[in-house]
Amino acid sequence: DEFPEFRRDVLEGLRQPLEDGEVVIGRALWRLRFPCRFQLLAAMNPCPCGHWGENDERCECLPHLRVRYRTRISGPLLDRIDLHVPVRRVAYDELVDGNRSESSAAVRARVVAARKRQRRRNGRRNAELDVLESGDCELDREGRRLLENAHDRLGLSARAHVRVVRVARTVADLAGERRIACSHLEEAIQHRSLDRGAGARRSR
C-alpha cells in the first residue's frame, strides 16, 4: 500500500526479481542466487492529496506536485508491472444497494478454465511466454497496426510491448478465443494507464 511512499532504493530493488524471478546477492568474494518468483500487488493515490481524477475541484495539488508524486515510481519499474488499473471511488448507491457485479465464483471459474487452456497449450503460464517466438502470440495485420499506434502514442518500451502481448493473450484465453483479436489488444493497452499518462506528458 502507498507504493510511492517507499524509499526509491527499496522500490528499485524489486526490478531484478520481477524480471528474472530471482534475487542475486553479491559480496567481494561470493555471489548467491535465490529463487524469488512472486506476484506484486501495489496501490497508490493519484496525487499526494488523493482527490485528483474523479473530482478535480477537491484536489489541492499543484500540477508539478502531481507529476513529481507519480514519477517516484520509475519508468523501468513500471515497465515490469503488467497491469496499471485505475480504481474509482465507490458511489453511495453502490454501498447502500450492494454489489451487483459478477460473482467471485463466476470469475474464478473463468480464470481456472483459462489457466487450464494455457497449460494444455504449452505447459507454461502466459507470463512466461516468449512472445517473439510463440505462435500463440501471433498478431494479424490489424493487430500489428494497432500495437504500432500504441507504441507511437504511448512511447512503449520493448519490455512493455512484451507485457501488452502477454496480457492480450490472457484476455483472449479468458474469452475462450484461440487467436488474439484487436479487442483483446485494446483491453491490454487500456491496462497500461500510467504509460498513458507518461505518453501524454511526452507529447506536450
Side-chain angles (χ1 to χ4, degrees):
D1 197 12
E2 302 292 351
F3 203 40
E5 302 298 338
F6 287 85
R7 294 201 323 262
R8 185 67 173 254
D9 61 319
V10 173
L11 295 178
E12 293 302 299
L14 292 170
R15 286 166 51 179
Q16 182 186 15
L18 280 170
E19 182 74 14
D20 302 327
E22 63 179 16
V23 172
V24 178
I25 300 177
R27 293 294 183 267
L29 300 177
W30 48 266
R31 191 176 181 87
L32 296 177
R33 295 178 181 272
F34 296 95
C36 185
R37 191 166 296 281
F38 64 99
Q39 186 175 52
L40 172 68
L41 301 176
M44 62 183 288
N45 288 317
C47 66
C49 78
H51 295 302
W52 185 50
E54 290 188 25
N55 199 352
D56 288 355
E57 63 269 18
R58 293 181 60 196
C59 180
E60 301 174 350
C61 304
L62 296 173
H64 75 278
L65 294 178
R66 296 173 188 160
V67 172
R68 183 187 301 170
Y69 181 77
R70 288 202 170 199
T71 53
R72 290 180 185 177
I73 312 299
S74 70
L77 180 54
L78 282 178
D79 271 352
R80 291 165 169 82
I81 300 176
D82 293 355
L83 306 175
H84 314 158
V85 183
V87 180
R88 64 178 178 81
R89 182 175 60 87
V90 180
Y92 174 77
D93 58 347
E94 292 179 277
L95 289 172
V96 173
D97 297 334
N99 188 356
R100 296 193 178 95
S101 62
E102 188 177 14
S103 70
S104 296
V107 174
R108 182 184 186 277
R110 196 164 67 252
V111 170
V112 168
R115 290 292 292 266
K116 287 180 178 178
R117 195 172 293 116
Q118 293 175 30
R119 296 290 185 184
R120 285 196 305 268
R121 186 170 55 232
N122 50 45
R124 294 186 296 172
R125 299 175 303 141
N126 289 344
E128 300 166 343
L129 287 177
D130 184 335
V131 303
L132 299 179
E133 296 183 0
S134 174
D136 300 308
C137 293
E138 188 175 353
L139 306 178
D140 60 19
R141 182 181 300 176
E142 188 176 357
R144 289 196 297 269
R145 187 181 303 118
L146 173 65
L147 195 51
E148 181 181 2
N149 290 337
H151 268 266
D152 293 341
R153 189 173 71 254
L154 305 179
L156 296 180
S157 67
R159 187 175 284 111
H161 167 95
V162 168
R163 279 162 168 73
V164 165
V165 176
R166 285 173 176 169
V167 170
R169 177 64 267 172
T170 299
V171 173
D173 286 337
L174 288 168
E177 300 290 340
R178 190 173 65 86
R179 298 186 63 83
I180 298 176
C182 280
S183 60
H184 306 140
L185 272 173
E186 288 169 351
E187 183 171 341
I189 293 167
Q190 286 299 311
H191 289 321
R192 303 289 305 188
S193 63
L194 295 177
D195 286 335
R196 294 204 299 275
R201 289 196 298 273
R202 283 192 289 266
S203 66
R204 284 200 291 269

